[in-house]
Amino acid sequence: MSDAESVITSLKWDVRQRLTFLEATVFWTGELATGFLTNTFAISRVQATKDIGLYSSLRPGNLRYDLSLKRYLITEQFVPLLISGQPQECLQVLQASRDSPPPLLALVGNLPAVETVNPPARLVDIAVLKPVLQAARFGSLLEIGYQSMSTPEPARRLVQPKTLVFDGLRWHMRAYSLSHGEYRDFVLARIHSAAAAGKPDAPIPPDSRWEQLLTVEIGPHPGLSDSQKRAVERDYGMVDGRHAVQVRAALLPYFLLAARIGADDLQREAMAQQIVLLNRAELEPYTEFG
């Protein structure tokens, strides 16, 4: 174990968490402002400066301070100390930060064993994920090489990433495609190259489908027995045979896919389908049902 690793193991949990966050921020975005630490952890500027100083003493060659930008920048000699630097690690952190409250300081003991079934992971190239994250954060353009399933060969696309989305199975970026003149979704695992392409010449138009919230109403399949319908209602917390969920219009197709709701709900065998879309006519303009 190195001296730095020995110091890390002796640190209090909260300090180690802040240093890990510091390192991950620098690694994935290329920079760190002191204010980012103070805002994230509700600590004083003095404490944030101490944290940065401690981290720099453990990894002296990882950061350099830019006087003109008034922030710390990553160096070419950067060597991770607290993170693995693998894309899946970053995506897992992003998913946890979106779906969960802050981690508990103490865990409940004496809980039963838990096992999770995970689908095969989609591999994401670190040389793709880093520029995507940086472009999304700083509002810059990317030139990507993308293999769409609607074309036989990959194509070059000029895009401005806006948001990363996890649909339960895979990650994609919501981006404005200057090549198409509209917002599109690009699966991260299908991007084989990504290069910074500067700032856009004009403001990117707003993403109306992202901003628009839709109400999705689901209910038990009408082919179920009354007892089976009541069981499904309990499963989903339905009231009067109905459960409503708000979903962004841009994400509706992914929500319906995850819920196994399609164009043929009512035609499918009730035991296999179990739930159906109740307000289909209202949502059809936003689905791929046609």
Side-chain angles (χ1 to χ4, degrees):
M1 181 181 295
S2 67
D3 292 341
E5 291 171 334
S6 298
V7 172
I8 288 296
T9 57
S10 67
L11 293 176
K12 292 182 178 179
W13 180 87
D14 58 334
V15 177
R16 180 167 180 159
Q17 290 296 102
R18 295 200 301 270
L19 295 189
T20 303
F21 179 81
L22 182 161
E23 181 173 82
T25 300
V26 172
F27 183 77
W28 291 107
T29 69
E31 64 172 43
L32 174 75
T34 305
F36 195 45
L37 283 179
T38 62
N39 294 334
T40 302
F41 292 99
I43 58 177
S44 68
R45 191 171 185 85
V46 171
Q47 183 60 60
T49 301
K50 287 182 179 179
D51 288 345
I52 296 172
L54 174 58
Y55 179 80
S56 296
S57 70
L58 297 173
R59 277 287 190 266
N62 279 4
L63 308 178
R64 68 176 180 85
Y65 188 74
D66 189 296
L67 288 173
S68 60
L69 296 176
K70 296 183 179 180
R71 61 192 59 202
Y72 295 86
L73 303 180
I74 193 170
T75 67
E76 294 183 357
Q77 297 79 33
F78 186 97
V79 177
L81 174 64
L82 295 155
I83 65 174
S84 69
Q86 296 301 309
Q88 201 59 35
E89 175 190 57
C90 177
L91 295 174
Q92 288 171 349
V93 170
L94 290 175
Q95 182 182 353
S97 66
R98 172 63 180 85
D99 296 339
S100 305
L104 298 174
L105 296 178
L107 298 178
V108 178
N110 300 320
L111 291 177
V114 175
E115 189 66 40
T116 302
V117 177
N118 294 311
R122 305 289 183 97
L123 298 180
V124 179
D125 190 344
I126 190 172
V128 166
L129 184 57
K130 288 185 75 171
V132 166
L133 292 174
Q134 293 173 16
R137 181 180 178 192
F138 301 117
S140 2
L141 300 177
L142 280 183
E143 184 180 22
I144 63 172
Y146 189 71
Q147 178 61 69
S148 169
M149 290 295 101
S150 61
T151 57
E153 298 295 332
R156 309 299 297 180
R157 299 285 184 253
L158 185 63
V159 302
Q160 182 177 0
K162 303 298 287 185
T163 310
L164 289 184
V165 175
F166 182 66
D167 66 7
L169 291 175
R170 64 187 186 182
W171 284 88
H172 71 260
M173 69 171 178
R174 180 79 174 167
Y176 183 76
S177 172
L178 282 78
S179 303
H180 299 95
E182 63 182 12
Y183 281 91
R184 292 200 171 192
D185 298 336
F186 298 89
V187 178
L188 292 185
R190 294 178 186 162
I191 302 174
H192 60 77
S193 64
K199 293 282 187 176
D201 295 329
I204 299 300
D207 188 352
S208 58
R209 288 219 166 188
W210 182 264
E211 298 301 331
Q212 183 176 6
L213 292 176
L214 303 173
T215 299
V216 182
E217 297 182 358
I218 61 173
H221 193 292
L224 295 173
S225 70
D226 289 343
S227 178
Q228 290 169 334
K229 287 178 182 178
R230 287 193 294 271
V232 171
E233 290 171 3
R234 287 194 298 271
D235 282 349
Y236 292 89
M238 296 178 184
V239 177
D240 296 328
R242 184 180 301 264
H243 178 64
V245 182
Q246 279 204 319
V247 179
R248 294 185 186 275
L251 301 181
L252 179 61
Y254 303 105
F255 175 85
L256 296 178
L257 181 63
R260 299 180 181 178
I261 295 174
D264 60 346
D265 292 353
L266 296 174
Q267 287 72 47
R268 295 188 67 196
E269 200 274 321
M271 286 297 295
Q273 183 60 40
Q274 298 189 11
I275 60 172
V276 296
L277 185 62
L278 299 180
N279 57 335
R280 182 179 305 274
E282 175 188 344
L283 298 179
E284 275 187 352
Y286 307 95
T287 70
E288 300 172 355
F289 295 164

